[in-house]
Amino acid sequence: MSTSYDVINPTNETIVKNVPHLDIAATDDVIATAAKAFTTWRTIAPGERARLLRSFSQVVTDHREELALLEITNSGHTRGNALWEADNVANTLMYYAAAPERLFGRQIPVPGGVDITFKEPLGVIGIIVPWNFPMPIAAWGFAPALAAGNTVVLKPAEYTPLTAIRLGELALLAGIPEGVFNVLPGKGSIVGNRFVTHPLVRKVVFTGSTSVGKQIMVGCADQVKRLTLELGGKSSNIIFADADIAKAAAGAPGAVFDNAGQDCCARSRILIQKSAFDTFMEHFEVAVKKFRVEDPNLATADMGPLISKKQFDVVESFLDEPIAFQGSAPTGPGYWMPPTVLLPKNTQSRSWREEIFGPVVSVMTFEDEAEAIEMANDSEYGLSGSIWTRDIGRALRVSRGVDTGALSVNSNSSVRFWTPFGGFKQSGLGRELGPDALDSFTEVKNVFISND
Ligand code: NAP
Ligand code: MG
């Protein structure tokens, strides 16, 4: 029995397109195709694989406007963000296009012969993508996977399949051979789960909620299947009184409300040193009220709608705590919510502890450095965070003290394709991006060659 899904534009609630879903039999067919394609893709000369990835990157760049428009329509991302996301796919492909020719092994001194290591590809890689950043999160998996000589089966989120489907077509246009990069729209419980249970899928790359990630980890244990998890977050924006408070406050809305707060790196906790609270809140209120929530097609938009009615209802359920102030949002059709600043009663409040994944931030004060670190670490999550101070020693001490994977000092940006990204604690397992990501798409093989 095959099903399909009506993709909804979250800006106006109209149906964009009906997308057919794969069932288990169709999923198995594509996995078999990808396994067959692996036998040739892994043997393609490194320089040729590099050339094909550069070509894929260029084709994505040539279609950046089209891809961005698809994402604006499917996901309500602002025009500025959607273009950045398409470019991030092209950049990530270009970065890993340098890898096939540099996938060095070692020569290790041993008695009686020569010992060398190889970084062998794994086979078929299953990538499961959430709806919040459909393009970049897909590329952080498929670019290094393909570069290392693997083939890919990619399942986009049910809500947001359109850019992934188009990227599959663009790969073919760029000359990537048939069967190497496959996009499989469908349900998580069917297509995604099949990646976990199918023995020919040798690794799962999952980005999404911590609860589904745990189920996938359990499922992968059965075949000792390799696994990377990028899960939820509850990250802190820690602002010391010695910081440039006006600058920290001006940047704080973007640090949490970007992509309508549907960002695993959202700094949804603001920790402000008590002596600077009043000054910060004055500047912050001005910045929140200036944050433009409007039609994401407009070049001026800072934020669009939430992805779905379901997500809207989840986020709205957090708004029963004391509100400091709110921004504005359009009314009428679409899943619009104004940016909202909460003042939770204490650190046990739901808004302080749970990932909200919407345009809501909670503000609390701290006395000193030790308390700031303790409050930031009081979470099961550990993904990102920001530290604002002019004191370099303090910046270093707090950076080392906060248990998260991607921190920024006097900045709110945590993702660069050059550098590793991933979580501590229940925010994930393994790292994506940067020079080391290739290690998680290869197995080390050791070969000893006797002198005899
Ligand atoms: P989700 O429900 O966990 O879904 C993520 C993906 O997994 C979707 O493609 C989903 O398919 C699929 N899926 C669902 N159940 C599955 C199962 N049993 N087996 C295999 N696949 C399954 O998460 P979401 O609601 O899309 O995204 C929001 C969450 O993702 C937030 O918690 C957020 O923090 C987290 N996230 C983390 C990062 C990071 O890098 N750390 C990045 C983005 C998002 P369907 O669409 O069909 O349900
Ligand atoms: Mg879900």
Side-chain angles (χ1 to χ4, degrees):
M1 187 198 67
S2 60
T3 55
S4 66
Y5 179 77
D6 282 332
V7 172
I8 310 283
N9 182 338
T11 299
N12 55 26
E13 300 178 47
T14 57
I15 295 174
V16 181
K17 196 175 177 167
N18 183 266
V19 172
H21 274 178
L22 276 71
D23 60 13
I24 291 199
T27 303
D28 284 359
D29 285 348
V30 181
I31 292 171
T33 303
K36 186 153 181 296
F38 174 62
T39 60
T40 50
W41 180 246
R42 69 178 305 179
T43 63
I44 286 179
E48 175 61 6
R49 207 186 306 136
R51 189 191 66 74
L52 287 167
L53 292 173
R54 287 195 291 270
S55 164
F56 191 4
S57 171
Q58 185 58 51
V59 170
V60 170
T61 297
D62 295 343
H63 292 79
R64 67 193 287 272
E65 285 284 346
E66 182 198 337
L67 287 164
L69 190 59
L70 271 180
E71 207 64 273
I72 296 168
T73 309
N74 189 161
S75 308
H77 290 195
T78 62
R79 193 178 149 69
N81 278 9
L83 283 167
W84 182 92
E85 291 160 22
D87 290 342
N88 183 261
V89 176
N91 289 335
T92 305
L93 278 165
M94 194 59 87
Y95 178 74
Y96 286 109
E101 294 162 296
R102 295 166 178 81
L103 216 50
F104 305 123
R106 293 168 182 264
Q107 176 267 312
I108 301 171
V110 291
V114 174
D115 194 284
I116 47 178
T117 65
F118 295 91
K119 289 188 180 170
E120 303 284 16
L122 300 169
V124 180
I125 309 288
I127 303 174
I128 303 172
V129 180
W131 45 259
N132 62 333
F133 287 109
M135 281 193 278
I137 290 172
W140 302 352
F142 72 68
L146 296 174
N150 304 282
T151 55
V152 166
V153 288
L154 176 97
K155 193 204 90 66
E158 209 175 348
Y159 288 148
T160 57
L162 299 187
T163 48
I165 292 170
R166 189 65 185 128
L167 286 170
E169 296 164 355
L170 295 179
L172 293 174
L173 196 63
I176 303 285
E178 201 79 53
V180 168
F181 176 52
N182 309 276
V183 177
L184 296 80
K187 281 192 166 301
S189 55
I190 296 172
V191 177
N193 186 55
R194 192 63 186 137
F195 293 177
V196 175
T197 60
H198 198 301
L200 284 179
V201 177
R202 300 293 188 195
K203 172 175 176 147
V204 171
V205 178
F206 173 82
T207 305
S209 60
T210 297
S211 60
V212 174
K214 287 178 185 177
Q215 289 174 42
I216 287 180
M217 196 171 176
V218 169
C220 283
D222 193 46
Q223 296 167 16
V224 196
K225 192 169 290 195
R226 276 58 180 148
L227 176 65
T228 301
L229 296 173
E230 297 288 358
L231 308 174
K234 189 73 197 173
S235 298
S236 297
N237 188 356
I238 306 171
I239 302 162
F240 288 92
D242 72 34
D244 182 338
I245 298 292
K247 194 172 170 197
V256 57
F257 304 141
D258 185 62
N259 205 33
Q262 303 165 125
D263 181 343
C264 46
C265 291
R267 277 75 166 157
S268 56
R269 287 176 169 183
I270 292 177
L271 282 85
I272 174 80
Q273 196 158 21
K274 198 170 256 169
S275 58
F277 177 78
D278 291 338
T279 317
F280 173 78
M281 290 302 265
E282 254 171 59
H283 288 287
F284 189 38
E285 181 162 10
V286 173
V288 169
K289 300 219 153 128
K290 269 208 314 222
F291 205 73
R292 294 178 71 103
V293 183
E294 59 187 0
D295 180 349
N297 288 287
L298 298 172
T300 49
D302 291 316
M303 183 183 128
L306 290 166
I307 188 70
S308 64
K309 174 73 170 72
K310 188 173 158 211
Q311 190 63 15
F312 180 93
D313 291 341
V314 168
V315 178
E316 199 179 37
S317 76
F318 284 90
L319 301 185
D320 59 356
E321 292 180 32
I323 292 177
F325 45 82
Q326 287 183 294
S328 60
T331 51
Y335 313 118
W336 299 99
M337 183 169 283
T340 300
V341 179
L342 300 178
L343 294 170
K345 276 211 274 303
N346 56 51
T347 58
Q348 294 313 306
S349 299
R350 212 176 136 232
S351 79
W352 189 256
R353 305 214 72 81
E354 294 181 24
E355 178 174 54
I356 300 175
F357 231 54
V360 181
V361 68
S362 304
V363 183
M364 290 193 74
T365 59
F366 64 87
E367 294 286 350
D368 57 18
E369 213 175 288
E371 193 185 18
I373 293 172
E374 190 187 314
M375 285 172 77
N377 287 341
D378 176 22
S379 170
E380 284 310 318
Y381 294 115
L383 191 54
S384 72
S386 299
I387 298 157
W388 294 82
T389 176
R390 288 186 173 107
D391 178 335
I392 189 164
R394 166 172 286 160
L396 279 169
R397 287 190 302 272
V398 179
S399 295
R400 298 302 298 273
V402 174
D403 298 330
T404 80
L407 280 161
S408 39
V409 175
N410 296 327
S411 157
N412 293 312
S413 89
S414 31
V415 174
R416 289 171 190 78
F417 55 84
W418 303 278
T419 58
F421 175 71
F424 280 34
K425 299 190 269 186
Q426 293 194 31
S427 285
L429 192 70
R431 291 292 179 273
E432 300 194 283
L433 298 175
D436 303 328
L438 292 157
D439 289 344
S440 68
F441 290 102
T442 51
E443 291 282 9
V444 174
K445 178 185 285 173
N446 191 69
V447 177
F448 170 73
I449 305 163
S450 168
N451 281 339
D452 291 345

